[in-house]
Every structure is written in structure tokens, then in C-alpha cells.
Amino acid sequence: MDMPAGAAAGGRTVLSAEHELFRDQVRRFFEKQIVPHHRQWERDGQVPREVWRQAGAQGLLCPGMPEEFGGAGADFGYSAVLIEEIARTNASGVGFPLHSDIVAPYLLAYATEARKRDWLPRMARGELIGAIAMTEPGMGSDLKAVRTTARREGEHYVISGQKTFITNGQNGGLVIVVAKTDPAAGRKGISLICVEEGTPGFSKGRNLEKIGLHAQDTSELFFDEVRVPVENRLGEEGQGFRYLIHNLPQERLIIAIRSAASIEAMLAETVDYAKQREAFGGTVFDFQNTRFRLADAKAQATMLRVFVDHCLGLHLQGALSVELAANAKLVASEMQNRLLDEFLQVHGGYGFTSDYAIGRAWADARVARIYGGSSEIMKEIIARTL
């Protein structure tokens, strides 16, 4: 488990020495503050808010945010390092990437100056946890089918509707709500409006029970005539769909980075297990079938690492396309699910227990083919370019 992410590729050029120094800091924090407690958080169904404040104090939240808003003004490579360390330790309940690399960029790009100065420094400190509420019951991946409405009444919006599968839903103190400000206009009637915890009419439902990601608070959210100032809208009215599409490549790259790092970490874990587990007078690794399985997995992981790093390099230059991000998300999530299943098989019955990391990682990985746009949606995006 101590193998650095990407070691399978024999060295990486996309990340600098400064990025690796940051990795050392992140790794120390995770080994001390996250790893010893994560199993308990899985039982609790939630990561304590205090951990977010600790991460904020260490500069691990919103590293890409400008210094004037509490960040470090760093490039996305620092976020990539943190994502890889989450995958390496299988700390799947820690929702830092959604908070720092999905929610915060929307606020930085589209919130009013006053709201930025109010919300972003608190997010960087871990005092205010971000979430984004897109999915609705029965809606699936079709954003145009959003039924939550936000009607204008003077200098306020009144929001009504229901959301589900919302990551950071229980901890979230600030939620970007995808709502229809003009229900008759289809995608051109979608707007993004922020709702703060404690606003009358805004309530949190149950913390959903999932087959994986047990420490990740994933919730239902309800909006019953929730009145918020017009100033809480992000950008222009009716432009929400365009904003969402613009930011999706980074979200999909996050999933690809996480998948690649997870494969590498679980491969190292499986090799160690196979070399120690005795069976029929030798070790599991002594069987050619096992060695060939793991050799094939390493070859695939190496190929994926090179491709994901290529996409990361493009993103650092602002040149990652929607289609290439979809490609990365598709192949990485599908490969993660396939190879982690192979690794679990090598572990035998122990792999099917939650005592071993591979069993938990296998269950956690399944959602990668669904969230951020399902594999079927990724294929549709790629197919349009053929």
C-alpha cells in the first residue's frame, strides 16, 4: 500500500517535485487523521465535520482557490494528488474533491463578489461544506427533466422540489441547487441557485443506505417554498445547463484519476497478499494463473496511468475536451470494476469480507460507472464524434 500512485508507469512527468512534497503532507494527514477512523465512519455513515476543519487547517481544501479567498492559488495537480491519496487509502467517505473541485469552482466562476467573500474562505477552512443537488427521483442522468422549480418573486427565488443521491448531503452547509426558473424552456430554463443550511423550508431527508461508500453521507434533500435572495443565483438566469456542461470534464477527470490510483493501490495489495497466502504447499503467487492475472492487470494499469496522466496534463493547460474526459471516465471506471473483481477473486473468501481492503474497494468502485454520467452516457458523448 506504500507504492506511490503511478509507480506502475515507471515514473511520471505530469506532476512536479512540489506536487510530491504536497503528497507527503497529504499522506501524513491521512495516515494520522483518516485511516485509523474510517471504519468507524463507515459504521456511522458519515465523516465528522471536525475532520473537515482539520483538513482546512492543513490547507488540504480548495487548494486551487485564489489566496484572497483562502486557497493557495495552486494548479489542479495538487487536487489530483489528494484524489490519488483518497484512492490509495480507500478513504471513500471523504468528500473533499466534490467540495473543492466541483462546488467551489462554480462559486468562484459565477457567484457575486459578496457571496464569494462570504462562502469561499469558510469552505477553504472546512467550516462550510459544499454539495451540488442535481439528481431527482426518477430523473436519472437527464438534466433537462429537472422538476425542481425556482420562481421569481421580487428580489427572491422560491424553490420547491426534491433531490436524491446528494453527496455531502448531511454535512452540506451550502448546496448548489439545479432548478427550473422557466419550466417551459427546457435546458434553457435551468439555473443554479445556492441554498444555505438552516434556510426555512430546506430540510435533509434520510442518509441513504448504499452497497458501498458507507462513510459517504449521501442524502435526500427537500425544498418546500424555500425563499433565497436573487443574489444566491450563480451567473445568469437560464444559463445553468451551460455552466454544468462546462464543468463536467473536470468532474469526469476526477473519477478517472481516482479509478487509476485505486487500481494501482489494490494491485499492490493483492500482490502482497498472494505472496503471503499459503495454499497447496506454496503461496497463491506461485501459481502461474495468479501471476499471469496480476501481470495482465499491471500492463492494463500502466496503460491507463499513461492515458489519465495525459488527460491531466491537458487539463492543466486548459485543453481537456468534453469527449476526451468522457473517454477517460469510461475506460478508467470500467477497468477499475473489472480489475478489482479480479483482485477480489485472488483473495478468495477473504476478499468477500469487509476486513480486507479489496472487498470494501470493490463495493465502493461500482458507483464509478454510474455517477458523473453513466458509462452509457459517456459512450453516447464519444459516439457523437465518430
Side-chain angles (χ1 to χ4, degrees):
M1 285 289 291
D2 290 332
M3 182 179 74
R12 303 170 70 182
T13 57
V14 69
L15 298 178
S16 67
E18 287 75 19
H19 291 124
E20 295 305 328
L21 284 174
F22 180 66
R23 187 189 302 280
D24 292 340
Q25 178 188 349
V26 173
R27 188 165 291 191
R28 286 194 299 271
F29 178 83
F30 270 65
E31 295 297 345
K32 182 178 180 181
Q33 303 293 352
I34 304 291
V35 174
H37 311 293
H38 197 268
R39 293 300 306 282
Q40 183 59 49
W41 300 340
E42 288 180 324
R43 288 185 280 269
D44 297 340
Q46 192 169 341
V47 175
R49 293 191 184 194
E50 176 58 29
V51 176
W52 289 79
R53 290 188 285 270
Q54 293 169 350
Q58 291 289 318
L60 305 188
L61 300 179
C62 306
M65 204 60 55
E67 293 182 22
E68 63 177 307
F69 297 123
D75 63 38
F76 184 75
Y78 288 83
S79 295
V81 165
L82 192 137
I83 294 161
E84 289 174 353
E85 290 304 301
I86 288 175
R88 184 186 71 86
T89 56
N90 200 41
S92 58
V94 181
F96 298 166
L98 174 77
H99 168 91
S100 299
D101 304 308
I102 297 176
V103 175
Y106 281 114
L107 303 181
L108 181 64
Y110 305 117
T112 65
E113 191 67 21
R115 289 297 190 255
K116 289 179 190 177
R117 297 196 177 279
D118 178 14
W119 292 332
L120 291 176
R122 288 193 284 149
M123 288 182 69
R125 293 192 298 266
E127 298 168 1
L128 183 69
I129 298 171
I132 182 165
M134 289 193 238
T135 308
E136 297 181 0
M139 188 190 84
S141 299
D142 187 5
L143 286 174
K144 300 188 297 297
V146 164
R147 292 188 295 269
T148 297
T149 59
R151 71 177 185 273
R152 181 80 177 256
E153 290 188 357
E155 292 305 305
H156 289 81
Y157 284 108
V158 180
I159 303 172
S160 295
Q162 178 181 349
K163 300 291 184 177
T164 192
F165 305 132
I166 308 306
T167 301
N168 293 346
Q170 294 294 316
N171 276 331
L174 180 70
V175 180
I176 300 174
V177 180
V178 179
K180 287 277 184 70
T181 44
D182 184 354
R187 68 177 63 182
K188 294 182 179 179
I190 293 174
S191 300
L192 307 182
I193 303 171
C194 295
V195 177
E196 295 186 75
E197 187 177 34
T199 304
F202 171 36
S203 60
K204 301 175 180 181
R206 63 194 176 102
N207 197 10
L208 300 175
E209 294 185 22
K210 309 176 296 295
I211 63 172
L213 302 181
H214 290 160
Q216 175 60 259
D217 54 313
T218 309
S219 305
E220 298 173 317
L221 301 180
F222 300 95
F223 304 88
D224 182 11
E225 296 286 286
V226 177
R227 181 177 291 269
V228 298
V230 169
E231 193 178 14
N232 280 25
R233 188 187 68 220
L234 299 181
E236 298 299 317
E237 185 172 290
Q239 295 299 307
F241 187 85
R242 182 168 66 86
Y243 300 154
L244 291 168
I245 295 301
H246 178 74
N247 280 24
L248 278 173
Q250 177 162 299
E251 180 177 352
R252 288 164 181 165
L253 179 62
I254 288 169
I255 297 169
I257 290 169
R258 190 165 180 164
S259 295
S262 172
I263 291 169
E264 291 164 352
M266 290 303 107
L267 173 59
E269 184 97 5
T270 305
V271 170
D272 288 344
Y273 174 84
K275 288 182 175 180
Q276 296 170 17
R277 177 80 167 112
E278 294 186 358
F280 302 102
T283 68
V284 172
F285 191 79
D286 290 333
F287 297 112
Q288 186 183 66
N289 179 62
T290 302
R291 295 198 307 276
F292 278 14
R293 267 185 168 178
L294 298 178
D296 184 63
K298 182 174 182 180
Q300 293 183 59
T302 300
M303 179 177 63
L304 179 64
R305 166 56 59 200
V306 173
F307 175 54
V308 170
D309 276 1
H310 171 68
C311 292
L312 174 56
L314 287 175
H315 190 53
L316 289 171
Q317 300 167 25
L320 180 65
S321 68
V322 170
E323 182 250 338
L324 199 60
N327 197 322
K329 196 268 183 185
L330 173 66
V331 298
S333 62
E334 292 285 343
M335 186 182 293
Q336 180 190 17
N337 274 260
R338 185 173 66 252
L339 292 184
L340 263 58
D341 194 70
E342 290 278 344
F343 301 158
L344 189 150
Q345 190 71 17
V346 172
H347 280 75
Y350 289 108
F352 200 63
T353 71
S354 58
D355 292 334
Y356 279 72
I358 184 59
R360 302 193 302 275
W362 174 80
D364 292 342
R366 185 59 184 85
V367 75
R369 295 163 59 194
I370 300 172
Y371 67 7
S374 67
S375 290
E376 290 72 24
I377 296 294
M378 298 305 99
K379 291 174 184 177
E380 183 62 32
I381 291 169
I382 297 165
R384 291 170 188 167
T385 70
L386 298 179

